[in-house]
Amino acid sequence: MNSKSIRWSIALISIASCGIASAHPGHGGSLVTGMASGMLHPWFGFDHLLAMLAVGAWAFQMGGRAIWLVPATFIGLMALAGAAGMAGIALPQVEAGIASSVLILGLLIAFAVKIKPAAAAALVALFAIFHGHAHGAEMPALGTAWQYAIGFMVSTAALHGIGLLLAKGLDNRWLRATGAITAASGAWMMVGI
């Protein structure tokens, strides 16, 4: 199997194994606690999965400093917002913010939008606040906060990396088509809110 087939297989398995109907299923009373629960959360929310793959793909599409700055900024702000969510600090319109991030990231990829790395980092930082808050607010009662946070940060970094690799392996037309599909998924999520 060639590397392009492997990348597509990973992408399809990831998407097929996530919870499509609900963004955050099965975390509250789960027996899986700590780091494992944090690692699973981004993979089993279709919205988180798409957004985090898209962050990596868009960073690759922009190239240069954006390749590391955009994902690193997302992870950093996501961790801070996760702490706020764990502390019970309210954030309005979290689901709408998450769905919007999927829509906008998809459009950025579909139209191959290239902006300065600092501006791209600022944009994904905004999205990271919503994703991080959702992760933190849904920490299982039996979990340890720092282990759970490390888990969702590691998973997010892995998803950004997979997004980078998928983007690297796709022809530009296919990458842009994938962005359009991601944007359509984000629009579908917004309708469902």
Side-chain angles (χ1 to χ4, degrees):
M1 187 180 267
N2 66 32
S3 63
K4 195 170 187 177
S5 298
I6 291 170
R7 287 188 203 111
W8 273 104
S9 298
I10 290 170
L12 292 175
I13 290 167
S14 297
I15 291 170
S17 66
C18 66
I20 294 174
S22 177
H24 316 105
H27 296 290
S30 174
L31 295 176
V32 178
T33 59
M35 194 177 302
S37 182
M39 290 180 85
L40 290 173
H41 192 207
W43 289 88
F44 288 94
F46 191 57
D47 51 359
H48 294 309
L49 182 70
L50 285 177
M52 292 171 192
L53 290 170
V55 166
W58 187 45
F60 177 82
Q61 197 175 43
M62 285 186 290
R65 235 178 55 169
I67 289 176
W68 64 268
L69 182 62
V70 169
T73 301
F74 188 98
I75 292 167
L77 264 290
M78 181 191 65
L80 290 174
M86 289 177 198
I89 297 170
L91 179 65
Q93 301 296 318
V94 171
E95 292 300 324
I98 291 170
S100 297
S101 74
V102 175
L103 171 64
I104 293 167
L105 286 164
L107 289 171
L108 291 167
I109 294 166
F111 291 103
V113 175
K114 291 186 180 185
I115 58 177
K116 292 186 178 193
L123 181 60
V124 298
L126 175 65
F127 300 151
I129 291 169
F130 293 107
H131 287 273
H133 190 277
H135 293 330
E138 295 170 6
M139 183 182 83
L142 300 175
T144 305
W146 68 270
Q147 291 175 333
Y148 181 74
I150 288 171
F152 70 69
M153 290 168 64
V154 166
S155 249
T156 298
L159 286 166
H160 290 335
I162 291 169
L164 281 160
L165 289 173
L166 290 172
K168 183 179 180 181
L170 289 175
D171 175 271
N172 188 47
R173 289 171 295 170
W174 284 106
L175 179 57
R176 292 177 73 169
T178 302
I181 293 167
T182 301
S185 297
W188 175 75
M189 289 173 198
M190 292 196 68
V191 169
I193 295 175

